[in-house]
């Protein structure tokens, strides 16, 4: 769509700019400030990039970074296809479509710590259906003792909580495809796969962009759920970046290194999101 | 084909509902029964857990606090995001693309990064432990998202409508409120749902920025961890109650959500 050129539009954007600047720029500047100083009581020393060097060489943090990437990658690889599949299976109209919409939205509205609490119980072998069921099937499942199980539980918890987001967005995308497309496809005797590949998937692109970006950002910042479920353990198996950072900043009060950590953390999310954004909007230059 | 679809969907829905069912059942059991073993249905059905919550002010004010700041956040976010989204969808202006991407970057900032500076900033301007403080903090991730989604809906409305309204002598504010907003009503419904959802489930910022007066329910829930162990029954009941406002919200916006999802430029 052609847009009018007008700098007066700035007045419409100004409230957003002021509001977000208040809650974003000032704190970000503070973090940058921390990250280049050694704060020793009231005295501050300028230390330059020393904290950054320290953080980048810290093997525990490197581990949690790798863990974080594996986790976010798994989240996207499972939730995006599953969400599309669920959207395709949803009834197109009528009473049942409203019912499924409501049920799908339900997990999204559970506060993060309650999600952790639910799975904490649900996964226990003695009193939770899930843990009990897995053990009854002959698996030795115990999320509190076995790192792999803990990891798996956090992943499943995330899939349970957030796949609906992708599904709802994709459902909306599918609803917006005019019937004429499907009619044309059936005249051409297109297979289901061809309909999906050449009609549905391209139409889903823009909602998938929103879905993938949101899921990437949020899974990369995951904190509360693993914290409630396992407290980051056993060992460090479910200590993701946010938790490592919070331990450093609030637990040990290492403000300088924590500041440097924050900036690096933020830049990574920014870079990866930008890559997704550019890759997915590439080609439809408006 | 259709049977397969229904079956697949049913399996997924059971997967979604089972953990919630488990929480619900637990909230009607007493602690000895919860810890006693696996059971699908409470032996002795009890409302004690819920009574604890409804009679103890620290519990129920937690709910009121959460509802209060989430509602505030919805109002603030929609008020500022609607005109901004309009500007992004209709005009080219200096730095528009940069500004849009900069807004998005705020959606990407991990709350853990901002905890300390937020705490300091909000304390120094007197916003610590106030509802408005939490509502403003949640704008950090909700405003960019709202602008983003609303811009999509607004771009779907033909420009001719704006032009006709101006020719008919409408002023901008009058056109915006009387004609434009009703047109994207469903989009606003969907956006409101997203704002509610993300603000309602967030805990890290809400907990850090409050201590007594504006403490959210999610933070109150940590209270059940005492020397004698976790009071699972009350915790489960509190969990069930945190889901209820969400159910009410979906119920109210259900038609808008279904319709809004169908009309958006996607």
């Amino acid at each position: 769509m052609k847009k009018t050129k007008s700098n007066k539009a700035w007045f419409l954007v100004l409230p957003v700019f002021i509001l977000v600047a208040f809650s974003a720029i000032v704190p970000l500047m503070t973090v940058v400030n921390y990250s280049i100083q050694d704060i020793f009581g009231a005295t501050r020393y300028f230390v330059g990039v020393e904290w950054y060097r320290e953080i980048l060489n810290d093997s525990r943090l490197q581990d949690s970074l790798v863990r974080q990437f594996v986790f976010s990658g798994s989240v996207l690889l499972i939730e995006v296809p599953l969400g599309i599949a669920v959207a395709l299976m949803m009834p197109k109209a009528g009473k049942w479509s409203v019912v499924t919409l409501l049920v799908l939205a339900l997990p999204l509205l559970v506060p993060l710590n309650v999600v952790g609490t639910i799975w904490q119980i649900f996964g226990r072998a003695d009193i939770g259906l899930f843990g009990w069921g897995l053990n009854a099937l002959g698996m030795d499942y115990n999320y509190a003792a076995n790192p792999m199980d803990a990891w798996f539980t956090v992943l499943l918890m995330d899939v349970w909580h957030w796949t609906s987001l992708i599904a709802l967005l994709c459902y909306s995308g599918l609803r917006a495809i005019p019937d004429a497309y499907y009619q044309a496809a059936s005249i051409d005797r297109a297979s289901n796969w061809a309909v999906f590949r050449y009609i549905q998937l391209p139409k889903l692109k823009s909602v998938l962009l929103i879905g993938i970006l949101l899921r990437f950002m949020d899974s990369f910042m995951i904190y509360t759920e693993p914290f409630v479920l396992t407290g980051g353990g056993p060992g460090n198996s479910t200590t993701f970046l946010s938790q490592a950072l919070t331990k450093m900043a609030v637990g040990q009060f290492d403000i300088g290194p924590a500041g440097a950590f924050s900036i690096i953390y933020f830049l990574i999310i920014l870079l990866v999101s930008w890559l997704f954004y550019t890759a997915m909007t590439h080609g439809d230059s408006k | 084909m259709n049977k397969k679809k229904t079956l697949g969907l049913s399996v997924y829905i059971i997967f979604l509902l089972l953990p919630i069912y488990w929480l619900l059942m637990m909230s009607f059991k007493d602690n000895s029964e919860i810890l006693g073993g696996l059971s699908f249905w409470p032996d002795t059905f009890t409302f004690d857990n819920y009574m604890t919550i409804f009679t103890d002010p620290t519990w129920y004010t937690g709910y009121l606090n959460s509802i209060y700041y989430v509602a505030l956040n919805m109002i603030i976010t929609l008020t500022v995001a609607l005109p901004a989204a309009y500007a992004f969808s209709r005009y080219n202006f200096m730095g528009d693309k940069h500004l849009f991407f900069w807004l998005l970057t705020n959606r990407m900032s991990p709350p853990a990064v901002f905890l300390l500076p937020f705490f300091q900033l909000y304390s120094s301007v007197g916003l610590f432990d106030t509802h408005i403080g939490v509502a403003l903090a949640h704008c950090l991730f909700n405003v960019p998202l709202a602008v983003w989604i609303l811009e999509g809906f607004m771009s779907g409305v033909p420009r001719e409508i704006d032009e006709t309204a101006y020719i008919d002598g409408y002023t901008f504010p009058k056109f915006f409120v009387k004609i434009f907003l009703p047109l994207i009503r469903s989009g606003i419904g969907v956006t409101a749902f997203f704002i509610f959802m993300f603000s309602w489930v967030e805990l890290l910022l809400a907990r850090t920025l409050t201590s007594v007066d504006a403490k959210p329910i999610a933070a109150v829930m940590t209270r059940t961890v005492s020397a004698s162990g976790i009071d699972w029954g009350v915790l489960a009941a509190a969990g069930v109650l945190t889901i209820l406002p969400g159910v009410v919200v979906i119920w109210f916006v259900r038609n808008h959500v279904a319709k809004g999802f169908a009309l958006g430029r996607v």
Side-chain angles (χ1 to χ4, degrees):
Chain A
M1 193 188 315
K2 269 187 80 174
K3 296 180 185 177
T4 318
K5 211 168 159 48
S6 163
N7 281 330
K8 279 191 195 136
W10 253 101
F11 288 108
L12 297 172
V13 193
L14 204 59
V16 162
F17 182 77
I18 294 171
L19 185 71
V20 177
F22 171 72
S23 34
I25 295 180
V26 180
L28 194 64
M29 286 298 111
T30 321
V31 177
V32 173
N33 202 18
Y34 287 153
S35 72
I36 49 169
Q37 291 183 2
D38 191 0
I39 297 162
F40 196 76
T43 340
R44 290 163 180 230
Y45 305 97
F46 177 77
V47 294
V49 295
E50 190 187 314
W51 298 132
Y52 288 89
R53 206 176 296 138
E54 191 183 307
I55 290 294
L56 289 173
N57 288 322
D58 188 329
S59 66
R60 273 178 316 150
L61 298 178
Q62 287 165 2
D63 288 348
S64 61
L65 182 66
V66 172
R67 210 174 288 132
Q68 185 73 68
F69 267 113
V70 175
F71 178 74
S72 291
S74 320
V75 161
L76 287 179
L77 283 179
I78 297 172
E79 289 177 12
V80 173
L82 183 62
I84 296 177
V86 170
L88 287 171
M89 289 188 294
M90 280 170 76
K92 290 197 175 68
K95 193 176 65 186
W96 287 110
S97 71
V98 178
V99 174
T100 37
L101 269 178
L102 294 184
V103 175
L104 280 182
L106 207 53
L108 296 175
L109 295 151
V110 184
L112 302 178
N113 63 327
V114 180
V115 174
T117 312
I118 292 178
W119 283 87
Q120 202 179 0
I121 294 283
F122 197 57
R124 270 176 64 164
D126 50 347
I127 57 171
L129 181 64
F130 180 66
W132 175 84
L134 285 186
N135 281 295
L137 288 174
M139 271 174 263
D140 185 21
Y141 169 86
N142 182 351
Y143 69 79
N146 185 334
M148 272 315 287
D149 290 351
W151 211 85
F152 171 70
T153 312
V154 175
L155 187 61
L156 190 69
M157 185 162 69
D158 200 87
V159 169
W160 176 80
H161 195 188
W162 291 113
T163 304
S164 297
L165 183 75
I166 308 268
L168 288 181
L169 285 170
C170 287
Y171 179 71
S172 74
L174 290 173
R175 297 267 53 72
I177 300 175
D179 267 345
Y181 282 67
Y182 291 117
Q183 282 155 11
S186 77
I187 290 168
D188 291 346
R189 293 175 186 279
S191 65
N192 281 329
W193 170 251
V195 171
F196 175 70
R197 176 65 190 83
Y198 295 105
I199 298 177
Q200 292 171 324
L201 200 57
K203 286 283 177 185
L204 286 182
K205 209 170 125 182
S206 60
V207 283
L208 273 180
L209 173 68
I210 297 186
I212 289 176
L213 275 177
L214 283 180
R215 276 323 294 140
F216 169 73
M217 294 169 192
D218 288 343
S219 67
F220 214 79
M221 304 175 206
I222 189 169
Y223 172 83
T224 313
E225 301 98 308
F227 179 73
V228 174
L229 186 76
T230 58
N236 276 325
S237 57
T238 52
T239 302
F240 297 110
L241 283 179
S242 274
Q243 212 166 338
L245 175 62
T246 314
K247 263 185 202 167
M248 189 185 273
V250 185
Q252 302 154 356
F253 232 69
D254 281 339
I255 295 183
F261 189 171
S262 302
I263 299 296
I264 296 170
Y265 188 1
F266 184 49
L267 288 179
I268 294 173
I269 298 195
L270 197 65
L271 180 71
V272 180
S273 302
W274 182 79
L275 286 177
F276 274 125
Y277 188 80
T278 326
M280 291 192 70
T281 50
H282 186 75
D284 47 63
S285 46
K286 290 176 198 168
Chain B
M1 181 63 205
N2 249 330
K3 262 188 190 157
K4 244 198 225 161
K5 275 188 181 178
T6 320
L7 183 73
L9 192 65
S10 310
V11 169
Y12 183 71
I13 284 179
I14 291 171
F15 165 65
L16 287 189
L17 289 181
L18 264 184
I20 294 179
Y21 169 79
W22 212 249
L23 184 77
L24 189 66
M25 281 307 112
M26 205 160 71
S27 69
F28 293 119
K29 298 176 185 174
D30 59 27
N31 275 321
S32 58
E33 198 190 333
I34 292 170
L35 296 171
L38 188 87
S39 63
F40 285 86
W41 191 255
D43 283 337
T44 44
F45 209 77
T46 171
F47 282 104
D48 286 357
N49 300 321
Y50 288 96
M51 286 314 289
T52 310
I53 291 173
F54 284 121
T55 50
D56 184 346
T58 42
W59 273 111
Y60 62 73
T61 50
Y63 283 100
L64 298 179
N65 287 338
S66 290
I67 292 171
Y68 189 20
Y69 72 67
V70 171
L72 271 178
N73 176 263
M74 280 170 86
I75 295 168
I76 299 172
T77 305
L78 281 177
T79 314
V80 300
L82 279 167
Y86 183 80
F88 282 118
S89 82
R90 292 294 193 260
Y91 299 110
N92 275 320
F93 50 95
M94 210 175 66
D96 53 353
K97 294 216 169 62
H98 299 286
L99 189 68
F100 197 64
F101 194 75
W102 172 72
L103 273 180
L104 280 187
T105 63
N106 292 298
R107 185 66 185 60
M108 302 168 199
S109 46
V113 167
F114 282 145
L115 281 187
L116 276 178
F118 255 62
F119 179 78
Q120 291 188 328
L121 176 69
Y122 279 65
S123 304
S124 65
V125 294
L127 283 171
F128 179 72
D129 203 18
T130 58
H131 300 97
I132 187 87
V134 182
L136 283 176
H138 282 184
C139 284
L140 182 68
F141 50 83
N142 268 344
V143 166
L145 186 70
V147 172
W148 193 6
I149 298 178
L150 286 172
E151 196 267 340
F153 278 103
M154 289 177 178
S155 300
V157 177
R159 289 196 57 109
E160 285 71 26
I161 292 179
D162 306 29
E163 280 150 17
T164 318
Y166 293 139
I167 293 168
D168 288 351
Y170 277 85
T171 57
F172 176 71
K174 204 172 161 202
F175 152 75
F176 198 70
V177 176
K178 284 256 164 84
I179 297 178
F180 197 67
L181 290 189
L183 277 177
I184 54 155
R185 204 172 48 207
S186 307
I188 298 175
V190 172
T191 314
F193 170 74
F194 271 85
I195 298 172
F196 174 89
M197 181 186 101
F198 281 109
S199 182
W200 184 254
V201 301
E202 205 277 339
L203 173 68
L204 202 53
L205 285 175
R207 195 182 57 190
T208 310
L209 294 177
T210 55
S211 64
V212 184
D213 293 341
K215 198 172 184 180
I217 180 60
V220 180
M221 284 179 73
T222 48
R223 256 171 28 102
T224 63
V225 186
S226 63
S228 55
I230 299 175
D231 194 345
W232 287 112
V234 176
L235 196 62
V240 171
L241 291 177
T242 57
I243 304 176
L244 285 184
V247 176
V248 174
V249 168
I250 321 178
W251 186 252
F252 276 117
V253 299
R254 71 186 189 284
N255 288 325
H256 286 308
V257 169
K259 244 188 264 159
F261 275 164
L263 287 175
R265 176 213 62 167
V266 280

